[in-house]
Amino acid sequence: MTKRKLIGATLFATGATILFALTASAAGSPPPRAPDLGDEVAGSYFGDVTSDSKGSSQSDVAVTVTRIAKNTVRIESDYKRLPTVTVPLSRAMDKIIAASGNTTFYYDTARSPPHLDVTFESEVAWSGERR
């Protein structure tokens, strides 16, 4: 084999090895996803139960919003009158709102810190700010 052919074969084998390695690593890891509305609102909030059809108002109530799917969050609290709910989200100008369902979700990005109002199934209303 001539020197030129040997160099060509070596370069081809090296290129093929690199291409295989890149393809294998790309197939093993999912592509990064673009942030969505769930990412934007996810976090811890602190506020008050402002109305309750079956009880009195309550101060100093923590709420956690967790992204669970694209443009969808789960809302949880350690206060027993606030149920755990799943809310699909939509954007309305500089607000993020519930896209559907019985829970009213209103996130105001124009306020600093961001403000969240949630009415759970028309029975309990909570209002607070991101921590």
Side-chain angles (χ1 to χ4, degrees), residues 39-94:
D39 293 308
E40 190 171 341
V41 301
S44 297
Y45 297 82
F46 195 71
D48 304 314
V49 172
T50 56
S51 67
D52 187 343
S53 67
K54 296 180 181 176
S56 61
S57 297
Q58 178 73 33
S59 298
D60 304 325
V61 175
V63 167
T64 302
V65 179
T66 306
R67 180 196 182 275
I68 59 169
K70 182 178 182 182
N71 296 330
T72 304
V73 294
R74 176 178 296 117
I75 303 172
E76 300 173 292
S77 175
D78 57 358
Y79 183 60
K80 65 181 179 179
R81 286 289 298 136
L82 300 183
T84 298
V85 295
T86 299
V87 180
L89 302 175
S90 180
R91 184 177 296 280
M93 298 178 58
D94 61 345

Side-chain angles (χ1 to χ4, degrees), residues 85-120:
V85 295
T86 299
V87 180
L89 302 175
S90 180
R91 184 177 296 280
M93 298 178 58
D94 61 345
K95 313 295 189 264
I96 297 174
I97 60 173
S100 63
N102 295 328
T103 299
T104 303
F105 184 97
Y106 183 83
Y107 181 79
D108 190 349
T109 61
R111 292 177 65 175
S112 183
H115 190 83
L116 176 62
D117 292 302
V118 182
T119 302
F120 297 85

